[in-house]
Amino acid sequence: EALQLPGVGQMAGAEHHIGSTYDGIFMQVEGVEKLVLYFGVSPNYLEAMGLRIKTGRAFGGAFSAAVVINQTFAQQQGWTDPIGKGIRIGDRAFSVIGVVEDFLLDPFEGKARPVVFGLSDEARHNFLAVRVENGAKDQVAAALGKIWEQQFPEVPFMYFPQTEVFQEFYSSINI
């Protein structure tokens, strides 16, 4: 229903959402255990969030043993050509299929952190990322609220524009 709304471009589910949650997980990279930031997402999350692929590709439609990393992850590994490189999460092996341009998770740090995106089961998704055309935010939010209320009356509808994700960080600063 939401995809049929005027002003909605793309939608994607996510277990972890940029600017809201992520998971710190241990993974093996070239035999070394590393703690990295992990986002469990649906196949079209990168596109819905407007993340740009620097090299390689985004996820396909099927669940696979593939991951997409950011530039900082590749640079910290010293990988000039990261496509096809392997990582292990627990007992599962994954292959890097793409690299997205860096983005800031914490504006106070002023630098990107190494990030891995992997596909997660839809049943684990806590977030719905909706790409909205310029000027349609309020209308789409109101319409989504009505759809949500019909589908999930026991769960309150909550949303935030991605452009305002870090606003609370800045509003709490006393200089």
Side-chain angles (χ1 to χ4, degrees):
E1 285 181 62
L3 278 173
Q4 305 307 313
L5 295 174
V8 171
Q10 292 181 341
M11 285 188 352
E15 184 177 350
H16 310 98
H17 182 59
I18 295 172
S20 185
T21 65
Y22 55 83
D23 197 7
I25 63 170
F26 285 98
M27 61 178 55
Q28 292 281 329
V29 184
E30 298 180 330
V32 177
E33 188 170 71
K34 297 189 178 258
L35 178 64
V36 300
L37 303 182
Y38 177 82
F39 290 89
V41 300
S42 66
N44 60 332
Y45 182 81
L46 303 175
E47 294 86 359
M49 289 299 294
L51 297 175
R52 293 184 294 235
I53 298 290
K54 178 111 174 123
T55 186
R57 64 178 179 84
F59 298 109
F63 193 82
S64 67
V67 293
V68 173
I69 62 175
N70 70 342
Q71 289 174 281
T72 296
F73 186 101
Q75 289 166 351
Q76 286 188 0
Q77 286 305 124
W79 292 343
T80 56
D81 184 14
I83 306 306
K85 297 285 188 184
I87 64 170
R88 294 191 69 77
I89 301 173
D91 61 353
R92 292 195 58 209
F94 294 85
S95 181
V96 175
I97 61 166
V99 179
V100 295
E101 291 182 359
D102 281 338
F103 54 90
L104 293 180
L105 287 170
D106 185 345
F108 290 124
E109 285 187 24
K111 62 181 179 178
R113 296 169 65 188
V115 171
V116 174
F117 293 94
L119 295 177
S120 66
D121 188 321
E122 187 175 294
R124 298 178 59 107
H125 292 171
N126 301 309
F127 297 93
L128 181 63
V130 180
R131 190 163 192 79
V132 177
E133 295 172 4
N134 286 336
K137 178 185 73 162
D138 294 336
Q139 296 84 357
V140 169
L144 282 174
K146 288 179 184 173
I147 293 169
W148 186 269
E149 201 172 281
Q150 292 169 354
Q151 299 290 323
F152 310 103
E154 69 285 354
V155 180
F157 176 70
M158 298 180 344
Y159 78 97
F160 55 89
Q162 193 66 29
T163 55
E164 298 171 11
V165 165
F166 297 117
Q167 184 175 349
E168 67 184 62
F169 287 124
Y170 294 113
S171 65
S172 65
I173 299 174
N174 291 321
I175 299 179

